[in-house]
Amino acid sequence: MRKGSAVVAALFVCLLAPGRGMAADNPVWAGTCNLPNAATQWMDFGVPQFSSVFGRPGVVISASSGAFPQQMRDTGARTVYWDMHLKARVGQPATPADPSTIVAKANTLYDFASTQMGCPNPVIVENELFGASLATPWSDANATYRQNVLTFLRQLSARGAYPMLLVNSTPYTAGDAAAWWQQVAGVADLVRETYVPATILWKQGPIVANRTLRNKYRTAVQQLTDIGIPPQRIGLIVTMSTTVGFGGRNGLQPASAWYDVVKWQVLSLRQVAAETGISSLWSWGWGEYTPAETDPDKSTAACVWLWTRNPTLCDGPTAAGPAFSSSRTEGQIRLRSGLQCSVGRDSLANDAIQRLQLVTGDRDTAYTALYSRLVEARETPVTTKSALAAEQAVVASRFHGSRSAYGAALSAAHANRAIALGILADELRRAQIESTMPAPRPSEADISTFYTSYPDLLVRRVTSRDPVPWLDGLKRGYALSQIAPAELFTAKAGRRSLVRTPLGSYSVTPLGDSVPLGLLPLGAVRPAIVGAIRSFARGAAYERWTTVRQKDALATAICVRDDLPQPGVVDLTTYLPFLSVAG
């Protein structure tokens, strides 16, 4: 972008950013031409076949020629003008119209539309921009086409109209293209066509489908707000077409399933509009111009669409029949204050994430850690009594029984006792889960590789009164420092010692001093290596197990703005190593 263009673009962003030159409230056309004076308005593509459904107060319908616009206004509905023939006026990217004809064509359309709408300031919807995704530098033909579109919209605006431009694909907004979009938004609303086939949504169910819709709608809005387009200049439009292969019903059966998807579209649009402050929410595809678009269920779908918006507009449940779910809350973001997520019957508080973030230094890490805890605890609960016992062992073995020293260590890590007990419960839970994981005997090649790779790893020969986990369930053998408690390597040789760990206390007698692994013959330490490799295998199996369950649980998760946790494994003892089971 040339320097001058960059300055103009930057100035545009500053002038039109919400809260700056334009008030962050109602769209510029609100309250004009008998339209409601509201921040976000619902609008629908009008067809005579469904005039009895849409023709009522509280509905804004698009119309164009003939007596239909006035007939709709006579029912109490309000109207905007829909221009289906933009390409005939400005051309297409490869075949632009003669630029010298554009102003006259805009004047002709304005004169007709203002007459049809019965007011000098009509909203005029232009269907639709071609080649929105074309990257710059544009061809000469496309540059001319884009300039034609801009000139046409500017002239409509200059005459007093409020243009809206439908955009049917992801807009390319980098480089010089951004300035063009900003210039268009200076005189017109940009309405993004955002379609997801109902067949896909129905298979996902109410929670995931609504999340899919909300995220798609948010993305469509953000693509424009990221380049400084104010939300009051942005709309979203969804389709109710029934042509298979398109973004509407797409052959979904039974009809009640489609009605549910129609309802989800309304609720998701409303949620995103509330978050972003966009100006208009549209439906179209109601027309039955071809056999493929003729659908006996469209009239009922239209009633459900209106009922979901406002139950006084139509009796959707009665029209849709008993198979239709009349819930307007299922799958929606309806969380108690302070909650970040609900996951089935469980919940995750934002305050808990923020407290743990002080320890991890990163919100996403804390979020994942608490989410994985929630999921795992459903299958493997750990009692408070067990966590307290583990804490007592930590204080006794690692802080010489000093509670104050333990508290100081927690404070230094920006943690508190509640966080510590949670981490200890995680450690106990993981150990319990890992104990159930498969761990096949390693090959001789794996044993040899381990032996040659870790010659400096300390080992110590010990005997225990009971089987211990760091000897792979045996009572005697070489303990490896990487998996055995640290206290085991400081205890006096030949003397029985009580080794306290979060997993329990063990009576152990060291049979010699600690030595590097590489100083002992492989045959002597083979059982220890086998135990270590099997321990690592169980750890890897646990990570796979928990990740799968966390991903599955996301299907039941409802989170603020659909900000979901990332499934994964977080070892919080990285931040508080004295709480580790291994010591």
Side-chain angles (χ1 to χ4, degrees):
M1 181 183 291
R2 293 184 300 275
K3 182 177 180 181
S5 299
V7 171
V8 171
L11 179 61
F12 183 92
V13 171
C14 292
L15 289 176
L16 292 188
R20 297 284 184 91
M22 180 179 291
D25 44 21
N26 292 0
V28 295
W29 40 263
T32 65
C33 202
N34 203 33
L35 291 177
N37 195 9
T40 300
Q41 301 190 25
W42 295 91
M43 298 182 173
D44 301 291
F45 180 77
V47 289
Q49 298 101 308
F50 300 129
S51 58
S52 62
V53 180
F54 288 106
R56 64 191 66 214
V59 174
V60 178
I61 205 81
S62 70
S64 52
S65 60
F68 182 60
Q70 187 58 55
Q71 290 171 354
M72 288 294 94
R73 291 194 290 273
D74 289 344
T75 68
R78 305 181 189 189
T79 58
V80 297
Y81 188 89
W82 185 283
D83 178 20
M84 191 69 81
H85 306 292
L86 179 63
K87 68 179 181 180
R89 309 183 198 283
V90 299
Q92 299 185 63
T95 55
D98 180 352
S100 66
T101 67
I102 302 303
V103 170
K105 291 176 181 177
N107 286 333
T108 299
L109 176 63
Y110 167 80
D111 291 339
F112 184 75
S114 60
T115 299
Q116 288 294 97
M117 296 300 101
C119 74
N121 305 109
V123 168
I124 301 178
V125 184
E126 294 296 343
N127 182 56
E128 62 196 326
L129 180 73
F130 287 90
S133 301
L134 291 176
T136 54
W138 290 327
S139 67
D140 290 343
N142 188 48
T144 299
Y145 167 74
R146 289 293 186 102
Q147 185 58 48
N148 283 351
V149 173
L150 181 57
T151 299
F152 190 80
L153 297 173
R154 280 175 168 168
Q155 184 60 20
L156 289 176
S157 177
R159 292 292 305 275
Y162 292 99
M164 293 184 176
L165 178 64
L166 268 62
V167 181
N168 66 6
S169 60
T170 302
Y172 179 81
T173 58
D176 290 334
W180 185 86
W181 290 106
Q182 292 160 355
Q183 289 171 328
V184 169
V187 294
D189 284 17
L190 295 165
V191 181
R192 282 283 282 115
E193 300 175 44
T194 314
Y195 309 150
V196 184
T199 44
I200 293 175
L201 295 167
W202 176 250
K203 290 178 182 178
Q204 293 179 338
I207 291 178
V208 177
N210 278 278
R211 184 193 305 157
T212 296
L213 288 169
R214 290 189 296 260
N215 283 332
K216 191 169 182 67
Y217 299 154
R218 290 188 189 103
T219 298
V221 173
Q222 187 176 354
Q223 288 163 347
L224 297 172
T225 57
D226 278 352
I227 58 169
I229 307 299
Q232 297 84 7
R233 281 295 197 181
I234 300 172
L236 292 171
I237 186 167
V238 299
T239 183
M240 299 299 159
S241 66
T242 53
T243 302
V244 175
F246 201 47
R249 182 175 185 176
N250 204 41
L252 178 62
Q253 294 291 349
S256 60
W258 185 36
Y259 304 150
D260 270 340
V261 172
V262 169
K263 175 187 66 177
W264 297 342
Q265 288 174 293
V266 173
L267 297 172
S268 296
L269 285 169
R270 173 178 288 149
Q271 175 69 37
V272 173
E275 292 174 4
T276 61
I278 59 175
S279 64
S280 60
L281 303 171
W282 283 86
S283 73
W284 82 322
W286 300 111
E288 298 182 323
Y289 307 114
T290 67
E293 277 300 323
T294 300
D295 188 335
D297 299 323
K298 270 191 179 180
S299 178
T300 300
C303 182
V304 169
W305 170 264
L306 293 174
W307 166 81
T308 310
R309 284 159 43 179
N310 184 341
T312 66
L313 294 178
C314 198
D315 187 357
T318 298
F324 169 68
S325 170
S326 61
S327 172
R328 297 164 75 223
T329 61
E330 187 180 28
Q332 306 310 305
I333 302 175
R334 294 167 58 88
L335 298 170
R336 298 194 312 272
S337 176
L339 291 187
Q340 172 61 32
C341 285
S342 67
V343 187
R345 295 181 178 180
D346 300 311
S347 59
L348 182 55
N350 185 56
D351 183 58
I353 299 172
Q354 291 177 334
R355 288 198 303 269
L356 188 56
Q357 182 181 349
L358 296 175
V359 175
T360 65
D362 178 75
R363 177 179 170 82
D364 290 341
T365 301
Y367 195 5
T368 293
L370 292 176
Y371 173 67
S372 63
R373 176 184 297 172
L374 180 153
V375 172
E376 291 178 19
R378 292 172 169 177
E379 297 193 36
T380 311
V382 173
T383 64
T384 302
K385 181 179 179 181
S386 296
L388 289 170
E391 181 188 49
Q392 185 175 358
V394 166
V395 174
S397 62
R398 297 167 189 173
F399 295 92
H400 307 291
S402 172
R403 282 279 175 180
S404 60
Y406 171 62
L410 292 178
S411 296
H414 307 289
N416 56 31
R417 192 180 178 202
I419 289 174
L421 289 172
I423 295 173
L424 286 167
D426 293 341
E427 289 285 279
L428 297 176
R429 183 179 301 109
R430 174 167 181 163
Q432 186 174 340
I433 295 170
E434 284 190 5
S435 69
T436 67
M437 295 287 112
R441 184 176 180 84
S443 67
E444 285 300 318
D446 290 337
I447 295 171
S448 178
T449 298
F450 187 99
Y451 179 71
T452 57
S453 299
Y454 303 102
D456 298 326
L457 186 67
L458 287 180
V459 297
R460 193 174 196 186
R461 191 162 177 261
V462 298
T463 182
S464 172
R465 178 178 298 172
D466 301 302
V468 293
W470 61 82
L471 293 179
D472 200 24
L474 301 176
K475 295 182 180 181
R476 178 184 294 265
Y478 282 94
L480 277 69
S481 59
Q482 192 166 354
I483 61 175
E487 294 83 357
L488 199 64
F489 295 86
T490 59
K492 291 185 178 181
R495 179 180 297 180
R496 184 171 296 278
S497 300
L498 184 64
V499 177
R500 294 184 176 92
T501 77
L503 294 178
S505 297
Y506 303 92
S507 180
V508 180
T509 303
L511 300 179
D513 293 331
S514 301
V515 296
L517 177 68
L519 294 183
L520 299 172
L522 176 58
V525 294
R526 178 180 277 107
I529 293 174
V530 169
I533 294 175
R534 294 186 69 197
S535 175
F536 300 151
R538 291 190 188 96
Y542 154 78
E543 291 185 0
R544 293 191 296 270
W545 175 90
T546 187
T547 300
V548 168
R549 277 155 180 75
Q550 290 176 49
K551 288 180 178 178
D552 290 345
L554 287 180
T556 66
I558 297 177
C559 303
V560 173
R561 295 202 174 211
D562 296 303
D563 175 20
L564 301 176
Q566 178 64 43
V569 178
V570 177
D571 183 1
L572 291 174
T573 65
T574 300
Y575 309 96
L576 295 93
F578 52 87
L579 298 178
S580 172
V581 165

